[in-house]
Amino acid sequence: MNIAVTGAGYVGLVTGVCLAELGHEVICIDVNEEKIEMLKRGRSPIYEPGLEPLLEKHLDNGRLHFTISPDTAYRKAEIIYIAVGTPQKHDGTVNLDFIMKAAETIPQYIKRDCIICTKSTVPVGTNDKIQRLIHERKPPDVRIDVVSNPEFLREGCAMTDFFNGDRIVIGASSTEAASTIESIYLPLGIPCIKTDIKSAEMIKYASNAFLATKISFINEIAAICEKIGANIEEVTKGIGSDKRIGPHFLQSGIGYGGSCFPKDTQALVQLAGNVQHPFDLLQAVIQVNNRQQSLPVRKAKELLSSLKGKKIALLGLSFKPNTDDIREAASLTIIHELQKEGAAVTAFDPAALPNTLQHLGNSIQYAVTIESALQNADAAIIATEWNEIKHASLDIYEKYMRTAIVIDGRNCYSLKDIQNHNITYISIGRPPIIKKHADQASLNAKEKTYDETTAHLL
Ligand code: UDX
Ligand code: UDX
């Protein structure tokens, strides 16, 4: 089919490239000319494993095109996806300006019956607004249906998620439109859930909110484990074996970030509030996560007593591994808190240094290797579990740091491996490993602050 995708960002670009792989004629439109020029040259503006080879393949075979012109994008389209960003406003509500602009622009260029498919995550009721806006502007002799088709792509594995998702959700008021959208994905053999528009919009929010709830829940359990001397990894294994709970999304750490969970949980709390149903549980999930993100700084202060003038190596900037995306990343909270304490930060990340430099400028130092980030550091904080960090030799902490103190926000290393090194290692939900360091007399004073029950475990 002839498909147009509006917005060539993390979601739109992956959707467009994968639809071309399914054999459709796809044209992606974006207001960002620089991005479109890059894409025309077969270069991906985002770091997404597996994307660029398919991008080049379908540019070469003429199935995939990029443009900034709405006329070029929409005049032949049978299906038009909307995948523009729906960022969070400062008050926690969703910024729908880009969605509404797309809904106002598209009908002016449509020449034939078509289906508008909203991929972006939008508050319940938005697709009805899109439907009204389009009907006020469309040519009279053209039929336009609006369908909600939320995405469940995880950054860093979006290509895999597109081809191997658990379900396709289609919300539509017309069964014919729903069947047309279903037919697009048929070759994937993924179960299709066809429902009404409002339920489809809610499925997206409820899914992300539930996943965020699992993360905050396990992080609370981890905090209690630390205090009673239990080990979160053992507890997670024990509860995750129950099919009703499942082992996924139970990885304790310094909390969730990204362009989805923080925004979507806030949006759902707002939505509930608007219909006089205070979503207390989800508000608690958000509060736990906000606290979790600054946990490494609290632990650093406990160990070093003061962070003023200290040099901290921050390993990992992206909100998760295998992406360059730093939106709402825990690392940004950590940097802010460290700078408030007067510490100097040197950050390493395999992919997110350019985005961070653009965001923070030279308020921090940037290191292209882990070793150079660790050089003379008083402590290291791990914020993202990149393989480069997980598989680094533990010797580098002793070799390059002024004192080998590691606060691991993503439990990258096993306690057993750490034991063989002179590293003070604080992780999440597991007993602390405190070692004597030459010039860290103050550290010894802190030793007693940890619960004695954990001492015998070491
Ligand atoms: C997507 C979904 O839109 C969002 O709802 C979901 O929750 C997260 O994933 P994302 O693809 O990450 O957002 O947004 P972004 O990477 O910012 O891409 C949006 C693209 O739309 C950008 O390339 C931007 O230039 C483009 N855009 C924005 C337009 O083409 N037109 C506009 O009017 C606004
Ligand atoms: C999420 C949803 O998974 C996806 O379905 C939706 O379409 C978009 O939002 P994404 O935000 O890209 O995807 O990444 P995800 O892998 O879900 O991780 C989100 C955050 O949760 C990351 O900061 C990650 O570090 C954190 N996380 C994830 C945990 O802390 N523990 C876990 O067990 C899993």
Side-chain angles (χ1 to χ4, degrees):
M1 300 183 84
N2 285 307
I3 298 178
V5 179
T6 310
Y10 284 94
V11 171
L13 179 57
V14 168
T15 302
V17 168
C18 293
L19 287 171
E21 179 68 3
L22 288 181
H24 299 290
E25 293 297 317
V26 180
I27 185 160
C28 294
I29 176 171
D30 199 297
V31 291
N32 184 322
E33 278 192 68
E34 192 188 326
K35 192 177 277 197
I36 291 296
E37 283 317 305
M38 245 183 115
L39 286 162
K40 283 179 174 173
R41 295 196 305 273
R43 299 270 296 96
S44 166
I46 57 172
Y47 180 102
E48 187 61 57
L51 179 72
E52 218 154 65
L54 284 190
L55 169 63
E56 285 166 340
K57 170 183 170 186
H58 295 298
L59 275 174
D60 293 348
N61 68 23
R63 200 171 282 154
L64 181 61
H65 303 271
F66 295 96
T67 181
I68 58 167
S69 148
D71 184 51
T72 309
Y74 303 131
R75 72 164 168 254
K76 286 195 318 183
E78 298 165 84
I79 310 281
I80 301 174
Y81 280 95
I82 298 180
V84 294
T86 52
Q88 193 177 346
K89 287 184 190 165
H90 292 299
D91 64 358
T93 56
V94 184
N95 177 350
L96 291 173
D97 295 351
F98 305 138
I99 291 281
M100 295 306 156
K101 196 177 97 183
E104 286 160 4
T105 307
I106 291 170
Q108 299 169 41
Y109 295 90
I110 285 177
K111 304 282 183 275
R112 56 181 295 181
D113 290 1
C114 73
I115 297 171
I116 308 279
C117 213
T118 307
K119 261 275 160 239
S120 299
T121 305
V122 292
V124 177
T126 303
N127 276 289
D128 290 341
K129 285 184 193 150
I130 293 173
Q131 182 116 24
R132 278 196 300 277
L133 276 176
I134 284 178
H135 276 272
E136 285 158 12
R137 290 164 176 75
K138 71 177 184 61
D141 56 341
V142 160
R143 176 192 165 115
I144 298 180
D145 287 293
V146 172
V147 169
S148 167
N149 176 218
E151 48 87 15
F152 299 99
L153 307 174
R154 287 169 298 164
E155 286 183 30
C157 45
M159 306 297 283
T160 312
D161 287 349
F162 185 96
F163 292 110
N164 307 291
D166 294 329
R167 76 318 200 170
I168 307 271
V169 171
I170 298 172
S173 44
S174 133
T175 46
E176 194 190 333
S179 304
T180 305
I181 298 301
E182 182 181 26
S183 68
I184 289 178
Y185 302 105
L186 231 43
L188 294 172
I190 295 175
C192 233
I193 295 171
K194 289 190 277 185
T195 181
D196 63 279
I197 288 182
K198 280 194 166 66
S199 302
E201 292 167 326
M202 187 51 160
I203 287 169
K204 175 64 193 173
Y205 277 105
S207 299
N208 274 4
F210 184 75
L211 292 167
T213 301
K214 277 190 96 170
I215 294 169
S216 282
F217 176 80
I218 204 65
N219 284 336
E220 287 285 75
I221 296 292
I224 300 162
C225 283
E226 277 181 38
K227 291 188 163 56
I228 59 170
N231 183 318
I232 189 62
E233 285 169 343
E234 305 306 310
V235 171
T236 302
K237 219 184 300 173
I239 66 173
S241 318
D242 183 323
K243 288 189 185 58
R244 296 167 302 171
I245 298 173
H248 304 297
F249 272 72
L250 286 178
Q251 176 57 50
S252 57
I254 49 176
Y256 60 78
S259 69
C260 300
F261 286 175
K263 158 177 77 76
D264 296 348
T265 46
Q266 283 288 4
L268 188 49
V269 165
Q270 295 274 342
L271 177 82
N274 295 344
V275 291
Q276 290 72 48
H277 183 95
F279 202 153
D280 300 337
L281 176 65
L282 194 54
Q283 296 202 44
V285 165
I286 295 168
Q287 280 153 19
V288 165
N289 194 64
N290 291 341
R291 214 174 37 239
Q292 201 71 9
Q293 286 204 343
S294 53
L295 188 59
V297 180
R298 288 199 297 277
K299 293 192 178 229
K301 275 176 74 177
E302 276 171 32
L303 280 169
L304 295 173
S305 62
S306 157
L307 297 180
K308 196 166 174 45
K310 293 289 192 310
K311 184 185 179 220
I312 308 294
L314 179 60
L315 305 184
L317 289 165
S318 56
F319 80 96
K320 60 184 277 199
N322 303 319
T323 179
D324 61 351
D325 197 346
I326 59 169
R327 288 179 285 185
E328 304 295 321
S331 62
L332 299 180
T333 304
I334 292 167
I335 289 169
H336 178 68
E337 297 288 325
L338 286 172
Q339 290 178 330
K340 262 188 354 191
E341 297 291 332
V345 178
T346 302
F348 162 80
D349 186 286
L353 289 182
N355 281 342
T356 310
L357 179 62
Q358 201 175 21
H359 185 72
L360 293 180
N362 291 311
S363 67
I364 64 169
Q365 302 290 316
Y366 298 90
V368 290
T369 62
I370 300 177
E371 291 80 354
S372 51
L374 294 174
Q375 193 73 40
N376 297 329
D378 297 295
I381 292 176
I382 299 176
T384 315
E385 67 280 20
W386 281 96
N387 281 339
E388 289 83 340
I389 296 168
K390 285 167 74 174
H391 302 151
S393 153
L394 292 177
D395 299 334
I396 62 173
Y397 293 104
E398 296 166 270
K399 187 173 172 198
Y400 293 96
M401 295 180 74
R402 201 166 74 76
T403 43
I405 294 174
V406 178
I407 296 157
D408 184 355
R410 298 291 183 188
N411 291 358
C412 291
Y413 306 123
S414 78
L415 299 184
K416 198 161 56 58
D417 293 347
I418 289 279
Q419 284 287 22
N420 304 331
H421 294 264
N422 189 33
I423 297 174
T424 288
Y425 182 69
I426 306 295
S427 57
I428 306 286
R430 302 188 296 176
I433 295 178
I434 308 284
K435 293 288 176 70
K436 298 225 176 317
H437 296 272
D439 57 350
Q440 275 294 310
S442 64
L443 193 70
N444 305 335
K446 294 294 163 206
E447 208 165 5
K448 298 181 190 49
T449 59
Y450 283 96
D451 188 322
E452 293 312 315
T453 57
T454 61
H456 73 273
L457 287 173
L458 300 185

